[in-house]
Amino acid sequence: MWTSNDIVDQTGRIVIVTGANSGIGYETALALFKAGAHVVLATRDAAKSSDALNLIQASGGKGTLETGLLDLASLSGVEAFTDLIKQKYERLDLLINNAGVMTPPESKTADGFELQFGVNFLGHFALTAQLYPLLKKSPAARVVTLSSGAHKLVQQIDFENLRSEKSYDANREYAISKLAGLEFTLELQRRILKAGDSIISTAAHPGVTQTDLSRHMSEQDYNAALAQFKELMPAWQGALPTLFAATSPTVTGGSYYGPDGENELYGYPALAQISNAARNVADATKLWNFAESVIRSKFLV
Ligand SMILES: NC(=O)c1ccc[n+]([C@@H]2O[C@H](COP(=O)([O-])OP(=O)(O)OC[C@H]3O[C@@H](n4cnc5c(N)ncnc54)[C@H](OP(=O)(O)O)[C@@H]3O)[C@@H](O)[C@H]2O)c1
């Protein structure tokens, strides 16, 4: 079984982890720091960010750390973050699109999109598009996007409801945001190949892992989920599929990793199942065109 002890040396690699103050993002940043990377903890809250930095620093890794303010619920917030990164760095080796929100009460991003679609997918689409020129300058860049087994719960994105124009169903919108993330991963890889670039776009999911992601669940729903899943993995273990996707020399573009146990809920990194809906090229093209229109910029045409 693959663990964080198997991470190849990351010395010299410049890494951005979104949502690095909590759960899987925190454990991902910690492991990459221990392996020698320079890790930018991209978070939306300065106090939480510096707490995370201090804790990771105290663990005694051989990498380096910095914090960067990133609010994925605002496209101008994403641009402010990428402007700073572009001023500071000439290349980026690894982008981990990890931050996420699950089943909040109905709410919107600053740009008026349903919050989960806006943060989990659109914000990361904008982030990746704006950082792509830096990724291109790395000899071995990767983009890892976090999806979820929940991506299998929906078959299609309803483009007429991305601002909750018709209705809001918290679980459905979470699943849609995770289907979008996986469609994005595969479409990004197709466009990378077409452009002749050498970047790898891959995805991961952490099965069922104990984190703050459940913060918006009612006690009743949380207890029902606990009864269904029997156990939750600790965050360090939930981070392993992400870390494998981010660092293993065996990873190829367009792949998806999750835990190897029953129904991909628990265990150690292995290839995970991608739904037919996520593999639909026409749907992914439509999503890409839509996202480009939202960010008002072409990305890997
Ligand atoms: N835990 C699981 O079982 C599970 C299963 C499948 C997929 N996932 C995916 O794994 C990823 C990590 O989640 P987690 O379980 O580690 O949950 P978590 O502990 O709640 O971490 C989520 C992170 O996302 C950040 N975030 C939320 N909204 C943001 C915004 N607008 N701008 C920037 N950052 C924002 C949070 O920041 P704050 O702390 O400031 O809110 C936090 O750092 C998510 O993409 C999630 O969908 C998790």
Side-chain angles (χ1 to χ4, degrees):
M1 73 198 172
W2 191 93
T3 72
S4 56
N5 293 331
D6 298 309
I7 297 176
V8 290
D9 187 30
Q10 298 290 303
T11 304
R13 281 177 71 75
I14 303 168
V15 176
I16 294 176
V17 182
T18 69
N21 60 288
S22 175
I24 289 146
Y26 174 87
E27 294 293 339
T28 300
L30 173 67
L32 293 169
F33 167 73
K34 288 197 162 188
H38 176 72
V39 186
V40 181
L41 310 174
T43 73
R44 61 175 166 166
D45 181 304
K48 285 187 193 170
S49 208
S50 70
D51 286 352
L53 184 141
N54 290 336
L55 269 176
I56 295 175
Q57 194 88 60
S59 76
K62 60 178 177 171
T64 45
L65 294 166
E66 72 175 283
T67 59
L69 264 191
L70 169 65
D71 183 1
L72 289 155
S74 152
L75 292 172
S76 62
V78 173
E79 202 169 335
F81 172 79
T82 57
D83 281 351
L84 282 176
I85 294 292
K86 284 190 268 188
Q87 276 168 30
K88 219 164 167 181
Y89 297 103
E90 290 198 343
R91 64 161 225 281
L92 176 64
D93 299 303
L94 178 57
L95 172 62
I96 303 197
N97 290 328
N98 162 82
V101 56
M102 185 178 78
T103 62
E106 183 175 353
S107 35
K108 305 264 170 71
T109 66
D111 309 284
F113 290 97
E114 187 282 317
L115 189 70
Q116 298 172 89
F117 182 79
V119 168
N120 301 356
F121 166 65
L122 262 184
H124 283 122
F125 180 89
L127 183 70
T128 311
Q130 286 155 27
L131 294 176
Y132 197 80
L134 264 60
L135 289 161
K136 261 185 84 155
K137 291 196 183 138
S138 164
R142 287 190 194 183
V143 179
V144 182
T145 298
L146 270 281
S147 185
S148 163
H151 87 270
K152 296 176 188 161
L153 302 177
V154 284
Q155 301 310 313
Q156 241 177 359
I157 296 166
D158 181 354
F159 287 85
E160 309 303 315
N161 197 39
L162 294 178
R163 296 174 184 267
S164 307
E165 293 94 330
K166 294 193 275 193
S167 61
Y168 178 71
D169 174 329
N171 290 308
R172 180 189 64 200
E173 311 330 347
Y174 179 70
I176 283 176
S177 76
K178 292 295 162 182
L179 172 61
L182 207 42
E183 286 184 9
F184 164 66
T185 301
L186 302 186
E187 183 63 19
L188 177 58
Q189 186 60 41
R190 287 189 283 270
R191 290 180 186 235
I192 287 169
L193 284 180
K194 201 171 146 205
D197 295 336
S198 60
I199 301 164
I200 286 177
S201 167
T202 179
H205 80 88
V208 284
T209 294
Q210 173 94 58
T211 68
D212 279 351
L213 195 67
S214 55
R215 69 184 90 174
H216 295 296
M217 288 172 87
S218 68
E219 202 179 327
Q220 197 185 2
D221 286 353
Y222 184 73
N223 288 336
L226 271 188
Q228 185 193 346
F229 292 131
K230 300 186 206 96
E231 63 171 295
L232 299 173
M233 287 195 293
W236 68 262
Q237 191 175 3
L240 293 178
T242 302
L243 289 163
F244 184 89
T247 65
S248 169
T250 62
V251 168
T252 52
S255 48
Y256 178 45
Y257 297 90
D260 62 356
E262 195 186 346
N263 297 324
E264 299 179 11
L265 295 176
Y266 329 93
Y268 289 85
L271 277 173
Q273 203 184 41
I274 300 175
S275 71
N276 288 337
R279 291 186 191 279
N280 186 306
V281 177
D283 286 356
T285 306
K286 187 172 178 188
L287 177 67
W288 194 280
N289 292 341
F290 172 81
E292 278 184 335
S293 74
V294 171
I295 66 167
R296 293 201 189 91
S297 168
K298 289 285 177 195
F299 174 27
L300 279 174
V301 182

